[in-house]
């Protein structure tokens, strides 16, 4: 007697416009998760690394790295959203809304905000707005992502096509609420690793983050399981050996975290990732690849009513097996250059 | 002057019937261990993952995954019991008796309950009952295991053969004491990932847990050291290259944990491993192997005086490099099928 | 517009005698770091492993493994001291001065105490005294190290050569202050794993620590990032493939920790590393190497006014791909024998 109690994942036909999905397995985040995060990416932003530093500027203790929160919230959504996904097409409107501290419990829900069958009738694009909440029900994070999902049956009828209108970028008046009013007098720039404040960066400035980090299978698997992300392509060599690339694919979030950690060298005081305006995983990353990163300052913004921190809109680009001295991005034909892994449009906050 | 202060491990002749061994290195378990456990296996049972979930049903906080407790208690026994072991032959009568929380300190003792020299006179079987206690001396876990241990000298006389009578299974009236009286009204089945309760499972039901996980050397070494397990075969490629398999052998407990974590898909609400009735590591697992798992419901039992939880006796089978759609177990000749790693007979508890 | 805000690392010309460098990124150490440390090295000293054990002898809780403190303090110094270093030449006068507990925040400063250009004019030796402090400003650790650093330009003038006079060993009257007055009556030698006290060891005694541990790339990378050590040679296969060895070099501190953890087998009660008198990384270690270790007791010392603990001066030798049954160290010509990785001169404390 074969059980039908396992989760086969949702197919395109299973998603309904307006549907709200409660994702299983809430997760209490701890200093253990923080230690693992540091050990996997080598991140060095002082606010997240030192309770003493965080307290000196007005936090009760070090908050979690924003991307650790992101991956925890995202990981929960994989069993229902992307188990049968072919591709994670993009992110938009991602905002960090409340600091998360060790001991907080995170849970995720997703609302289906768009659906569009592809012309081949074999797949469709699903747009979801996912929300992470803490144990008090406060929203700590929300973001939109869209994924290409297989249909169960090509002959099934298509739903009405609804494509959400997504803003090009998060409005700077809507960011920064996860950062309490800070006492910048307590911010020790020597300990933070750089004298450069928000005012020292200019639009158009490009920063080669210099260092490179080679990824191992054990590392990305440990990271991705830490987030309880269940996407099969990251973990199963037995099936992936017969798959598209012949090997396991690194969870894109690992590349984002690595690029963000590398960005410390040059953006040392950009301690808070306030928003992800948009992002694309341009090409897949595999174990053995060495990841480099560079950033470009796209825009500067003051935050309404705040003199403590300012926002830089930066493009964060990750590249594999090629250093970033020449800021690789696109070829003459407009296609991404070989080796580009990630093109992420973010708002980061720095002390003023 | 060469020291004789190192531990050469015990040989068969060193074990005496009735002897009680105090194992060194008590261990305080922490949220750091919990984070590592999650990152190594990707376990997703809500009770162990979320303090908020655990509190809602009557725990003071999330208890440790039962197998993390098991490995910690087991690991301590390796220097005295199995350093010179050739094979870990089996487990029986393993019961989890008290919840373990981060901050608790675990220590292990073992009593020799059986001894039998093998006919070749070069090895013998040692039966021990091992007990894990917390910092208050409360027993949190006990189990019997038997191992084949080398003799120091073939000519040494054999002890009187004593083979303990081991029950086929733990009596269901003896399990479940590690679970406080629960408020199942507070158990959120959506957050737990499945609507299926104890009553929804039937004897004979077979569950393919679907997912597979490929193991890396770094992963099993990190896991096994976390438990302070010192068995050489897991860590030393320099000697294992000349050994039986030419490579390091994965600690069997890693396979158990992986299979249990995979079993979440289909047994999502089986949040507590109450007992291991018996178990065999059928074949060795190596780095590079992909582990799959399936379960069969062998028996259902109510627990005396309890309406909150019920027990399922399940066979948990782990298989390598072969998915479990056909529930691989034994061949026509009664031998285990190729690729079967583990055959574990357990009691797990689910909400009623 | 290319930014100049990244850290290119200091060159020999950038160091000035007497200069004090504040190293960035203070670090709160947690039970998460402790769990990772255990999982990476398998260390088993009871005082650091069990809060209950530590309390029984007079600690408020388990202190951090001394080498975890060392690596955290050392790691912070790499961006300013050794980013352009060719070799880490040696350590001296390293003393552990205060216990560190989970929750403490560590920060590092370094004072330049010596400078000497090499005759080739392309490099020079920089001597620094580095100091680790906790969140209260108390010194927890200090040590001297000297590194060979590239010059920016061969033609730049040499500074006045100043070479600090370093003691052959730390005076035993200056060690042990990191250990509170202990109640040795509460020290359970069975739980600690050995009956041997300070008085049981003799000068000249050599201990083969027996076990070997094979290192994986993921393991040393995870360890080295945990300490926020940024030295490129440990992480970047893309550049190291073209480098001296064609592969990544394991951070020497990983070898020290592995050797110290292995030394438990034979020095089980040497629970505190009080000082490093001197040390050399004799040859590089790579992923795939199996590390063994042995110790020799060089000297015994009482500590002034203390009857609870005594000090052993031990030479701790790590060797790769060769067991230590013959205590490999030097060849007849005085050169180190093949495979010797580390020659470390330490003071360790044991109960009397």
């Amino acid at each position: 007697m074969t059980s039908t109690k396992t989760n086969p994942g949702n197919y395109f036909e299973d998603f309904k416009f307006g549907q709200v999905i409660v994702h299983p397995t809430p997760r209490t985040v701890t200093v253990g998760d923080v230690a693992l995060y540091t050990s996997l990416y080598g991140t060095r932003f002082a606010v997240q690394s030192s309770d003493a530093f965080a307290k000196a500027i007005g936090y009760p203790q070090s908050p979690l790295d924003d991307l650790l929160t992101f991956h925890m919230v995202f990981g929960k959504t994989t069993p229902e959203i992307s188990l049968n996904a072919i591709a994670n097409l993009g992110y938009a409107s991602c905002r960090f809304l409340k600091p998360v501290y060790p001991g907080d419990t995170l849970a995720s829900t997703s609302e289906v905000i768009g659906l569009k069958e592809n012309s081949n009738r074999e797949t469709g694009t699903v747009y979801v707005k996912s929300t992470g909440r803490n144990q008090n029900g406060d929203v700590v994070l929300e973001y939109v992502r869209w994924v290409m999902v297989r249909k169960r049956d090509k002959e099934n009828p298509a739903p009405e096509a609804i494509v959400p209108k997504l803003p090009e970028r998060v409005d700077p008046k809507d960011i920064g609420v996860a950062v309490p009013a800070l006492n910048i007098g307590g911010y020790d720039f020597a300990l933070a690793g750089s004298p450069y404040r928000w005012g020292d960066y200019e639009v158009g400035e490009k920063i080669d983050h210099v260092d490179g980090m080679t990824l191992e299978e054990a590392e990305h698997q440990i990271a991705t399981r830490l987030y309880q992300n269940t996407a099969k392509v990251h973990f199963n060599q037995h099936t992936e050996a017969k798959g598209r690339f012949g090997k396991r694919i690194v969870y894109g979030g690992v590349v984002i975290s690595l690029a963000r950690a590398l960005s410390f060298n040059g953006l040392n005081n950009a301690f808070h990732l306030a928003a992800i305006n948009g992002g694309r995983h341009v090409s897949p990353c595999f174990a053995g690849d060495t990841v480099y990163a560079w950033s470009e300052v796209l825009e500067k913004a003051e935050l309404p009513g705040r003199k403590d921190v300012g926002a830089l809109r930066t493009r964060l680009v990750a590249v594999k097996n090629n250093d970033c001295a020449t800021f690789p991005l696109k070829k003459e034909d407009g296609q991404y250059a070989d080796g580009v892994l990630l093109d992420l449009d973010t708002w980061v906050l720095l002390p003023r």
Side-chain angles (χ1 to χ4, degrees), chain A:
Chain A
M1 181 179 43
T2 298
S3 179
T4 55
K5 296 188 175 73
T6 51
N7 172 25
N10 288 313
Y11 289 85
F12 182 67
E13 298 91 323
D14 299 318
F15 294 97
K16 307 293 165 201
F17 182 79
Q19 176 187 8
V20 174
I21 299 165
V22 174
H23 300 294
T25 312
R27 175 76 146 82
T28 301
V29 292
T30 70
V31 292
D33 300 308
V34 171
L36 267 160
Y37 191 87
T38 303
S39 76
L40 290 164
Y41 309 113
T43 183
R44 291 186 286 142
F45 295 99
V47 172
Q48 284 77 21
S49 179
S50 164
D51 281 339
F53 193 99
K55 284 177 188 170
I57 60 170
Y59 282 93
Q61 68 184 107
S62 284
L64 256 64
D65 189 287
D66 302 295
L67 286 171
L68 175 52
T69 299
F70 179 84
H71 299 320
M72 289 284 183
V73 170
F74 182 97
K76 317 242 139 306
T77 70
T78 54
E80 288 76 35
I81 305 298
S82 42
L83 215 60
N84 299 311
I86 294 162
N88 199 20
L89 299 173
Y91 307 102
S93 296
C94 173
R95 293 192 304 148
F96 294 86
L97 296 168
K98 219 177 154 73
V100 177
Y101 299 105
D104 283 351
T105 298
L106 300 176
S108 307
T109 56
S110 294
E111 181 184 353
V112 179
I113 61 168
L115 289 168
K116 186 171 184 303
E117 193 179 85
N118 287 325
S119 53
N120 64 11
R121 300 208 58 191
E122 291 177 351
T123 58
T125 300
V126 180
Y127 297 79
V128 292
K129 178 179 167 184
S130 295
T131 303
R133 289 185 176 78
N134 68 16
Q135 67 280 7
N136 302 317
D138 300 329
V139 175
V140 299
L141 170 66
E142 56 179 36
Y143 64 90
V144 172
R145 75 161 162 146
W146 51 108
V147 291
M148 193 192 300
V149 179
R150 279 194 189 80
K151 281 181 73 179
R152 186 175 280 111
D153 183 341
K154 187 176 175 174
E155 303 310 317
N156 282 340
E160 183 191 358
I162 303 176
V163 174
K165 201 169 145 50
L166 295 167
E168 186 220 341
R169 69 166 185 24
V170 177
D171 193 309
K173 75 174 166 41
D174 294 331
I175 64 172
V177 293
V179 176
L182 296 186
N183 165 28
I184 297 302
Y187 192 101
D188 186 326
F189 288 83
L191 281 181
S194 160
Y196 303 111
R197 298 165 183 246
W198 176 75
D200 296 316
Y201 289 85
E202 288 177 60
V203 172
E205 188 169 349
K206 288 182 174 179
I207 308 166
D208 171 11
H209 299 306
V210 181
D211 306 304
M213 193 72 83
T214 305
L215 260 173
E216 301 295 320
E217 296 281 12
E219 294 170 350
H220 77 83
Q221 293 199 145
I222 287 173
T224 309
R225 282 186 300 244
L226 182 70
Y227 316 136
Q228 297 169 311
N229 180 320
T230 62
K232 298 158 197 257
V233 294
H234 310 314
F235 299 118
N236 188 327
Q237 183 56 30
H238 180 243
T239 53
E240 292 311 309
K242 302 162 225 154
R244 198 162 26 142
F245 301 107
K247 49 192 170 179
R248 285 161 278 180
I249 302 170
V250 173
Y251 162 48
V254 167
V255 176
I256 297 179
S257 279
L258 218 37
R260 166 89 177 134
L262 291 169
S263 80
F264 176 80
N265 193 354
L267 283 165
N268 312 52
N269 293 315
F271 69 91
H272 176 54
L273 178 65
I276 298 174
N277 297 305
R280 266 192 67 183
H281 294 294
V282 175
S283 64
C285 181
F286 305 104
D289 285 342
T290 300
V291 177
Y292 293 86
W294 63 274
S295 292
E296 179 177 2
V297 180
L298 302 176
E299 188 179 347
K300 292 180 72 172
E302 302 194 15
L303 301 188
R306 297 192 74 151
K307 293 288 176 201
D308 53 348
V309 290
L312 295 183
R313 186 176 166 199
T314 64
R315 161 177 252 166
L316 176 60
V317 179
V319 178
K320 69 176 173 182
N321 307 327
N322 198 358
D323 72 46
C324 289
T326 59
F327 308 109
L329 185 64
K330 292 194 178 171
K331 295 181 288 191
E332 287 190 7
D333 65 2
Q335 298 295 304
Y336 279 100
D338 288 351
V340 175
L341 293 168
L342 174 76
D343 184 7
L344 201 71
D345 184 334
T346 74
W347 281 112
V348 292
L349 301 196
L350 294 85
R352 291 180 65 170

